[in-house]
Amino acid sequence: MSEYLEIRNITKEYTPGKGINDVSFSCTEGSFTVILGPSGAGKTTTLSVLAGFLQTTSGDIVMNGHSIRNLKTRERNVSMAFEDYALYPTHSIFENIASPLRARKMDNETISKKVKAIAQLVGIDEHLEKFPSQVSGGQKQRTGLARCLVRDADVYLLDEPIAHLDAKLRHRMRGEFKRIHKELGKTMVYVSHDYREALALADMVIVMNKGSIVQIGPPEEVFSQPKNTFVATLLGDPPMNLVQFDHITVKNGTLSLIGKDFESSVKGCRFPDMKADGVSLGFRDFTVELVAKAGKNTIPGSVYVFEPIEDQIIFTISIAENRVRVRTPRNIKFDLNEEVHIKLNPETIHLFDNRSGDNLEYREE
Amino acid sequence: MGQVKLDKVWKLYGNFEAVKGISLEIHDGEFVSLLGPSGCGKTSTLRMVAGLEEISRGEAYIDGVLINNLDPGNRHVAMAYESYALYPHLNVFENIAYPLRVRKVPNAEIKSRVEEICDSLGISQYLTDFPSALSGGAQQRTGLARALIRPASVYLLDEVLSHLDATERTMLRAEIRRIQKLMDLTALFVTHDQLEALAMSDRIIVMNDGEIQQIGTPEEIYDTPANLFVAEFVGEPPMNIIRIQRKTEDRKNYLIVAGQKLDTAKLGLQWIPDLDNFFLGIRPKNINRSNNGIDGGISGQVHTYEMLGDHTLCSIDLGNNDLVFLIDTFDTQLDLDQPITISLTPENVLFYDMNSSELLHR
Amino acid sequence: MNREMLNRDELARKKRIKMILSIIRFLLIGIFLLIFMFPVYWIAIGAFKVEGEFYNFPPVFWPSQFSFENFERAFTMFNGTKGLVDSLIVAGANTVIVICFGVLLAYSMGRFKTGGDNLSFFVISLLFAPPVISAIPLFMIFRTLSMLDTYRVLYLSYILFNMPFGVWIMKGFFEDIPPGIEHAALLDGYSRWQAFRKYVLPLAVPGIAVTALFVFIFSWNEFLFALIFTRSSVETLTITLSGMIGGHQIHWGELSALSLVAILPGIILTLFFQKYLVRGLTFGAVKG
């Protein structure tokens, strides 16, 4: 598949420390790309640059083989849905959705047909006569989405389009997006701070932090092979657990962990032989087990607190200075401050450098 | 000592009935949550216990003493607020020390007690900072420390986690639970977040429309919701509620689900209600998936699915636009609109009355 | 049970205190209302009195019969008709000019920060100085241009204080309109001007209406410039009214009648624009 949209070394500076720095990525035609990051990561700035609201300081944007960097917003064939909806309060839902078609001077019949079709797709067709102030937040969001999708654009930009919905509706809309994308088959760039949206929707995830790209990869890869502790803790709820050790060695697949007042070892690891100081061990809450007695591949700790959630219990375990969270079935019972052991799965653990946060495996490459 | 008892307590605002004659008891050392959507009367209830709202009708007791006409200061309650309510002109130490200063506690004792509570809440390094310089989490910890610094019969926590970001919320949630357990405090916690209620409580009181819907342990609330409101409010994603029609042919019972006729014996159900129409409730985790048609299976199409790292959340269209959610292992391979057969774990199936929406028992 | 009785007494006492407090509150409001509304009442009632009733003691609070003679004389003998028409022409023309140019200036300053902080400060600083400072220089300029005693001289000179005021108020309204709406319109395929006309301007209507109301009333009430820059061919209401206070006689009846007419447009316009004065209408569409 060809590269349809290419962003080449884009830099945009507002004031020092703000904006985006040397951002490059590309999207294949018909793909769904999610830009994931916390607030202030530069996600919306990246979209604004693509839409042409902001001029870049340097770099180039190539769409379908042509540079669009110097084109005005309305000369670029891009469409966008906004986080704050940006609906026209003085116009009905119908007219809001019809706006891009009216700008193209389409005849009323075509407009009516297209608006109704897209309104049905996003599920807002019963409210077309109402005004934005008369519908709920979720319906406003759907209207914004319909206005974005109603016309034939080269790229659709979606800025946190479901961020303001409640959890249950958000969850349903994630599903709708997958269907809408499949039905329309268009290139979409989607900005989000919620890792669930990235995992659920993306063909390709771009993780951003402080104006720079941290990792690009398919969702499974970003989730299971995070490039550093930032990515490891951004994805997952609870985030990946990190336990700090003073010193580690790996020899023939056996990882020896030396902490302040305890030592452990894990056999059967995939890591190459190495020695390192100041390393964090990372593991996800659902990949480990909680056991009463020390054994193979266990590290010791004590119960800090436990919380029953739905049909599981989340144990927070103290390991020296570190707190980690472990999910267990409901029948596992330990008391506050009781000594327990965490049984690690050697295949799903990670090692990160304490200072830089980098994943040691990536550094070896 | 820490017991709270409400006996048919009402809260009226003019003609509006915010709380409609609720009765409840909180036992010594218990962590009880009032859970419900906004406007359900949970905050009014808490404020009546605190003495910030007048009790319109009914009686409230703390440690066996009628508190209806006691000033808030005489009720032996301490409270932490959603919006922190810190004194902006006092630093963290003075904010926390304030309830003790009001009670003329000697300086040396104030110092040692403030330091102790700050240590357990992890805000020792902020003692000389002013509230405006702190993160939301640290501000709320200060608010909690101010509530916990003095002995009280019952600690009232009003949506204390609502304004915090996700990471701080999970951290503070665990710490409140630990302190409450270690210090054996009696606490009444108001929240709209079902996850917080499940994680922290010994017992949960679910409220809606000014009335109590169910009182029970987190397990009871989650496993056997007393009515459809509780069933749909607790759990993420919510419980699947499926409309069922019952038919009897040749002395065999059949359930009609979305137009599909299913043999109750093959579904493995021990008991079904003696009604023609009712709702079936089942948690997404208790639905299993198989690609080939099996006995007692319900067929449908994959509406959509999301792989969420450790699990896959899938919604199934049973043919009448009724979506059923199911949770599957993370490595599931699925396609949109793929035909699929699902089966229910019989022991987790619940039935609800169509008119009263109450749970139906054998 | 004794305790319950105590509770009941306590509740009854609280209720009594509440009632007494609310009575005091309404009494105070009533007294202030009386003080502030009395002059308006006095003018209104004076317009219908006959000559003698102004000098009676005790004063006449309700005329024995309502007479329309004062209105008749005010409009015939005292040139009231010309005053009314001229005021309408001057205030109307000034409002149109200030709004038409002010909207563009305010939008450009509010959205694109045109002129930066300096222009912003210059505009607001024009409001700090009392208009009388510019009266002499303006007089000399207008005399050189042979514009004295024309309609133009008034509606142009009123720009001096109405334009900065109007721009300042409308700039605030435009700043409140989220830029996302224009971005959306640009993406929809409209030009800047089209986006402004089709989606931004309708949103600013409440702000523009309120501004127009104030600008009109300021022009309508203006006295100083009208006194200095005009003589006989243009005579606004304020000038007509002041003419009724003569050297040896004050025509109280006619003065009251014409004053009553003069305050009517303000009241009518305020009622008409009331729904715009409440700004709730617009901002529902951006974030729920």
Side-chain angles (χ1 to χ4, degrees):
Chain A
M1 251 195 255
S2 60
E3 305 302 356
Y4 187 66
L5 175 67
E6 249 184 288
I7 283 81
R8 292 183 189 153
N9 310 94
I10 287 286
T11 295
K12 168 71 197 171
E13 285 166 347
Y14 299 105
T15 47
K18 278 202 162 188
I20 52 174
N21 184 26
D22 198 18
V23 166
S24 306
F25 63 91
S26 56
C27 312
T28 52
E29 186 161 10
S31 69
F32 200 111
T33 305
V34 175
I35 304 180
L36 176 70
S39 63
K43 303 171 304 228
T44 301
T45 307
T46 308
L47 278 201
S48 300
V49 164
L50 286 177
F53 306 144
L54 293 174
Q55 287 301 309
T56 57
T57 314
S58 65
D60 202 359
I61 308 167
V62 178
M63 203 188 307
N64 225 348
H66 304 284
S67 170
I68 59 164
R69 188 191 163 193
N70 294 320
L71 294 184
K72 282 186 186 156
T73 296
R74 72 170 180 147
E75 294 160 347
R76 307 179 179 193
N77 195 12
V78 296
S79 192
M80 181 163 170
F82 295 81
E83 183 185 0
D84 60 2
Y85 322 144
L87 301 183
Y88 311 124
T90 47
H91 291 65
S92 68
I93 301 290
F94 181 94
E95 282 304 323
N96 264 282
I97 301 174
S99 175
L101 307 179
R102 295 235 186 271
R104 281 166 186 71
K105 307 244 184 305
M106 287 187 185
D107 63 277
N108 279 332
E109 205 177 311
T110 320
I111 289 179
S112 177
K113 217 166 67 192
K114 285 196 171 213
V115 169
K116 281 183 182 145
I118 199 78
Q120 201 166 14
L121 186 64
V122 303
I124 188 81
D125 45 330
E126 284 163 29
H127 306 283
L128 289 176
E129 304 308 314
K130 292 183 183 163
F131 280 81
S133 57
Q134 295 166 322
V135 299
S136 71
Q139 289 159 346
K140 281 178 203 169
Q141 196 112 57
R142 286 156 188 258
T143 308
L145 204 55
R147 181 180 63 189
C148 169
L149 298 174
V150 73
R151 76 182 171 91
D152 206 24
D154 293 336
V155 174
Y156 295 86
L157 308 174
L158 309 161
D159 188 4
E160 303 254 12
I162 60 176
H164 295 298
L165 307 186
D166 66 49
K168 281 165 194 170
L169 196 54
R170 204 154 62 212
H171 164 85
R172 205 184 171 106
M173 284 301 287
R174 284 202 297 265
E176 300 293 337
F177 262 110
K178 218 183 184 75
R179 294 193 75 82
I180 289 170
H181 178 242
K182 194 190 171 198
E183 265 160 59
L184 298 178
K186 293 288 188 175
T187 312
M188 297 186 176
V189 181
Y190 184 111
V191 156
S192 175
H193 69 277
D194 185 347
Y195 82 93
R196 288 181 190 84
E197 288 168 28
L199 291 186
L201 296 170
D203 297 321
M204 196 62 89
V205 179
I206 297 167
V207 183
M208 286 187 79
N209 187 31
K210 292 180 185 156
S212 301
I213 291 179
V214 183
Q215 184 169 7
I216 300 181
E220 310 82 54
E221 188 182 304
V222 173
F223 186 78
S224 60
Q225 293 162 52
K227 209 165 181 181
N228 57 26
T229 50
F230 173 80
V231 181
T233 50
L234 184 69
L235 282 87
D237 180 25
M240 185 181 281
N241 291 306
L242 297 171
V243 184
Q244 297 194 346
F245 289 92
D246 294 337
H247 187 69
I248 61 134
T249 53
V250 184
K251 203 164 186 197
N252 300 329
T254 299
L255 168 68
S256 304
L257 302 153
I258 297 148
K260 274 208 177 58
D261 37 15
F262 68 99
E263 291 184 23
S264 289
S265 64
V266 184
K267 291 197 177 74
C269 300
R270 63 186 184 284
F271 306 117
D273 286 3
M274 63 172 137
K275 282 186 179 179
D277 290 331
V279 169
S280 288
L281 173 75
F283 57 89
R284 295 214 179 263
D285 63 325
F286 59 91
T287 61
V288 297
E289 276 176 71
L290 218 50
V291 292
K293 291 208 174 77
K296 195 183 162 199
N297 299 346
T298 62
I299 48 174
S302 69
V303 176
Y304 183 75
V305 74
F306 54 90
E307 304 165 288
I309 286 178
E310 307 201 331
D311 58 352
Q312 298 177 319
I313 299 178
I314 294 188
F315 280 89
T316 305
I317 307 293
S318 292
I319 305 170
E321 307 275 273
N322 308 278
R323 302 265 154 75
V324 299
R325 291 159 69 82
V326 177
R327 234 186 292 178
T328 70
R330 203 189 262 174
N331 54 10
I332 302 287
K333 295 241 187 305
F334 291 105
D335 259 338
L336 283 193
N337 296 332
E338 192 175 335
E339 193 187 312
V340 290
H341 298 269
I342 298 171
K343 191 171 195 303
L344 301 167
N345 177 352
E347 281 168 24
T348 55
I349 55 174
H350 302 272
L351 297 172
F352 300 97
D353 185 79
N354 273 348
R355 222 170 309 127
S356 64
D358 289 337
N359 190 330
L360 294 187
E361 280 179 282
Y362 279 85
R363 202 170 58 177
E364 295 304 309
E365 281 172 18
Chain B
M1 275 273 273
Q3 289 163 4
V4 179
K5 187 179 166 205
L6 301 188
D7 189 12
K8 300 194 193 69
V9 163
W10 289 74
K11 179 69 211 175
L12 310 169
Y13 298 101
N15 286 331
F16 176 67
E17 297 168 342
V19 177
K20 301 173 185 168
I22 64 166
S23 302
L24 59 92
E25 268 183 80
I26 301 168
H27 307 123
D28 198 16
E30 221 184 3
F31 193 107
V32 173
S33 295
L34 277 172
L35 172 67
S38 61
C40 74
K42 55 188 193 302
T43 302
S44 296
T45 307
L46 185 85
R47 291 172 64 86
M48 284 193 285
V49 175
L52 303 173
E53 299 266 4
E54 229 174 289
I55 297 169
S56 306
R57 235 184 284 157
E59 284 165 352
Y61 301 87
I62 291 179
D63 294 341
V65 177
L66 182 73
I67 55 161
N68 280 39
N69 287 314
L70 286 181
D71 284 333
N74 297 328
R75 293 187 178 196
H76 298 288
V77 296
M79 187 159 169
Y81 304 85
E82 179 179 7
S83 50
Y84 324 137
L86 300 178
Y87 306 113
H89 61 290
L90 298 179
N91 65 25
V92 167
F93 182 93
E94 286 304 325
N95 259 290
I96 299 169
Y98 193 81
L100 301 181
R101 295 231 189 270
V102 172
R103 283 166 183 75
K104 308 253 187 308
V105 175
N107 269 334
E109 194 190 331
I110 290 183
K111 193 165 182 302
S112 70
R113 275 169 68 181
V114 170
E115 277 167 5
E116 190 190 351
I117 195 85
C118 287
D119 214 33
S120 61
L121 276 164
I123 44 172
S124 302
Q125 69 270 42
Y126 303 126
L127 284 179
T128 54
D129 290 338
F130 285 89
S132 55
L134 301 180
S135 69
Q139 287 192 48
Q140 190 55 281
R141 282 163 198 262
T142 309
L144 285 165
R146 189 180 58 185
L148 295 172
I149 188 89
R150 66 190 177 87
S153 294
V154 54
Y155 294 86
L156 307 173
L157 311 173
D158 184 10
E159 300 259 16
V160 287
L161 302 175
S162 303
H163 282 342
L164 308 181
D165 67 41
T167 322
E168 280 185 323
R169 198 180 313 162
T170 33
M171 267 164 59
L172 196 50
R173 189 176 83 196
E175 274 161 53
I176 292 174
R177 179 64 172 155
R178 180 176 163 87
I179 290 171
Q180 184 267 333
K181 280 241 162 186
L182 290 177
M183 292 169 71
D184 214 12
L185 307 174
T186 310
L188 181 59
F189 172 63
V190 159
T191 182
H192 65 272
D193 184 334
Q194 50 98 20
L195 202 65
E196 283 171 16
L198 290 177
M200 297 168 78
S201 316
D202 294 312
R203 280 192 306 148
I204 299 173
I205 300 169
V206 186
M207 284 186 77
N208 189 34
D209 263 347
E211 286 171 350
I212 291 178
Q213 304 293 318
Q214 186 173 8
I215 303 183
T217 63
E219 289 80 15
E220 285 166 2
I221 300 271
Y222 182 79
D223 292 344
T224 50
N227 57 37
L228 286 179
F229 174 80
V230 181
E232 290 183 311
F233 195 76
V234 177
E236 171 60 38
M239 185 182 278
N240 295 301
I241 306 293
I242 308 167
R243 185 181 284 267
I244 300 285
Q245 212 186 335
R246 200 189 68 163
K247 274 220 172 99
T248 312
E249 286 172 15
D250 305 335
R251 270 176 288 146
K252 269 178 150 184
N253 283 323
Y254 293 96
L255 299 185
I256 314 284
V257 180
Q260 301 173 41
K261 199 161 115 186
L262 306 166
D263 188 341
T264 40
K266 283 184 180 157
L267 282 171
L269 294 171
Q270 300 290 316
W271 171 81
I272 52 162
D274 195 15
L275 295 165
D276 289 338
N277 290 291
F278 50 88
F279 286 115
L280 182 153
I282 181 118
R283 296 257 173 226
K285 282 182 185 168
N286 300 321
I287 297 183
N288 304 308
R289 185 178 68 83
S290 77
N291 283 324
N292 358 320
I294 49 156
D295 268 2
I298 308 170
S299 54
Q301 283 188 322
V302 174
H303 177 71
T304 187
Y305 63 95
E306 324 170 39
M307 294 194 244
L308 295 172
D310 57 332
H311 67 271
T312 299
L313 180 62
C314 174
S315 56
I316 313 283
D317 189 343
L318 296 182
N320 56 348
N321 276 331
D322 261 351
L323 292 190
V324 171
F325 287 103
L326 78 87
I327 288 177
D328 211 331
T329 48
F330 67 95
D331 50 0
T332 314
Q333 293 298 321
L334 289 171
D335 269 317
L336 293 184
D337 297 330
Q338 165 190 336
I340 197 169
T341 309
I342 56 171
S343 60
L344 317 177
T345 319
E347 58 270 26
N348 296 109
V349 170
L350 301 170
F351 298 107
Y352 292 91
D353 190 274
M354 210 155 236
N355 299 316
S356 69
S357 84
E358 297 292 319
L359 180 66
L360 294 166
H361 295 277
R362 192 165 206 161
Chain C
M1 284 310 99
N2 205 0
R3 188 173 204 166
E4 201 164 290
M5 299 263 287
L6 270 175
N7 285 345
R8 256 183 222 140
D9 282 357
E10 178 83 350
L11 275 181
R13 202 172 63 88
K14 274 187 186 163
K15 262 191 189 146
R16 256 203 315 281
I17 292 175
K18 252 188 197 166
M19 206 160 83
I20 292 169
L21 276 176
S22 70
I23 290 173
I24 293 174
R25 198 158 42 219
F26 278 108
L27 270 179
L28 279 176
I29 292 171
I31 290 168
F32 277 103
L33 210 59
L34 213 63
I35 293 171
F36 286 113
M37 291 309 288
F38 184 76
V40 180
Y41 164 77
W42 199 241
I43 287 175
I45 217 69
F48 299 100
K49 285 178 183 172
V50 291
E51 184 79 46
E53 284 175 317
F54 283 98
Y55 305 102
N56 282 1
F57 193 85
V60 178
F61 287 98
W62 194 254
S64 49
Q65 90 185 77
F66 284 80
S67 139
F68 285 88
E69 281 171 34
N70 291 328
F71 289 92
E72 231 178 282
R73 274 203 303 279
F75 281 110
T76 52
M77 288 165 59
F78 289 93
N79 229 357
T81 318
K82 181 166 175 55
L84 199 61
V85 171
D86 284 6
S87 274
L88 276 176
I89 292 171
V90 169
N94 177 248
T95 307
V96 170
I97 293 172
V98 168
I99 295 301
C100 286
F101 289 94
V103 159
L104 299 178
L105 186 52
Y107 176 66
S108 135
M109 285 173 69
R111 184 59 85 229
F112 308 110
K113 307 283 165 237
T114 309
D117 290 344
N118 289 335
L119 182 62
S120 229
F121 179 75
F122 171 70
V123 167
I124 191 79
S125 69
L126 286 174
L127 284 174
F128 296 156
V132 68
I133 290 177
S134 48
I136 304 297
L138 279 179
F139 182 85
M140 287 158 78
I141 294 169
F142 288 135
R143 190 183 54 188
T144 315
L145 295 172
S146 320
M147 275 168 65
L148 289 176
D149 206 14
T150 60
Y151 290 105
R152 274 173 300 162
V153 74
L154 286 189
Y155 57 68
L156 288 179
S157 61
Y158 289 176
I159 289 175
L160 182 72
F161 53 87
N162 272 339
M163 187 63 94
F165 170 80
V167 167
W168 196 256
I169 300 287
M170 289 191 288
K171 178 171 162 266
F173 276 93
F174 284 120
E175 280 169 350
D176 279 354
I177 296 173
I181 287 182
E182 282 144 77
H183 286 161
L186 292 178
L187 279 170
D188 284 352
Y190 296 102
S191 66
R192 265 278 171 201
W193 174 248
Q194 284 172 322
F196 173 71
R197 218 191 47 208
K198 197 167 156 118
Y199 293 123
V200 178
L201 208 52
L203 269 181
V205 162
I208 294 170
V210 171
T211 313
L213 173 67
F214 278 113
V215 166
F216 184 87
I217 288 177
F218 287 159
S219 301
W220 184 265
N221 291 344
E222 209 284 333
F223 175 68
L224 183 73
F225 283 2
L227 182 71
I228 300 172
F229 300 150
T230 62
R231 186 138 307 161
S232 54
S233 54
V234 179
E235 186 185 307
T236 58
L237 259 183
T238 45
I239 303 296
T240 317
L241 284 169
S242 74
M244 290 176 177
I245 305 174
H248 40 85
Q249 200 195 355
I250 299 175
H251 300 274
W252 285 115
E254 294 80 356
L255 195 55
S256 299
L258 203 55
S259 298
L260 192 62
V261 174
I263 59 176
L264 277 181
I267 295 174
I268 292 168
L269 284 174
T270 309
L271 289 178
F272 183 70
F273 282 122
Q274 200 166 31
K275 82 165 185 186
Y276 291 127
L277 290 169
V278 185
R279 278 175 43 181
L281 183 79
T282 37
F283 295 96
V286 181
K287 259 186 199 172

